[in-house]
Amino acid sequence: ACARSWFSLPNVSVVCVPQETGHLAVANLDSGVLDVALLGSTPWAEAVVRGVDIDTVYIAHEKHNSQALVVGTAIASPLDLRGKKIAA
């Protein structure tokens, strides 16, 4: 994101701290070392499942049909999602 100048905005100061993995970025978000991170779907999903207090504020890109919503065996169709809690 920094290499592509996504944060080159007037009156905005951003310090980019490259992270070797999404898991490390999540750990640094959770501990307060980072304020913002650009994550892939797998580290984000694992963080949510572990109860890390993070929010998604922007989706940088979509991967069309290569992503999936994973559910338990009690969910057989999208209609079964009615009344269920999706993400936290």
Side-chain angles (χ1 to χ4, degrees):
C2 287
R4 294 181 180 177
S5 300
W6 289 0
F7 303 114
S8 295
L9 301 168
N11 302 318
V12 174
S13 176
V14 175
V15 176
C16 290
V17 182
Q19 304 292 292
E20 291 187 21
T21 68
H23 303 289
L24 179 59
V26 167
N28 286 329
L29 279 170
D30 197 28
S31 69
V33 171
L34 296 175
D35 298 309
V36 177
L38 182 62
L39 296 175
S41 57
T42 300
W44 175 86
E46 289 177 356
V48 170
V49 167
R50 288 195 329 265
V52 176
D53 187 19
I54 59 174
D55 289 316
T56 300
V57 296
Y58 180 76
I59 299 181
H61 63 91
E62 295 180 27
K63 294 187 178 183
H64 305 290
N65 61 1
S66 67
Q67 301 294 305
L69 174 64
V70 180
V71 298
T73 57
I75 308 294
S77 80
L79 295 175
D80 295 332
L81 295 173
R82 183 173 295 150
K84 302 292 185 200
K85 185 175 184 180
I86 302 174

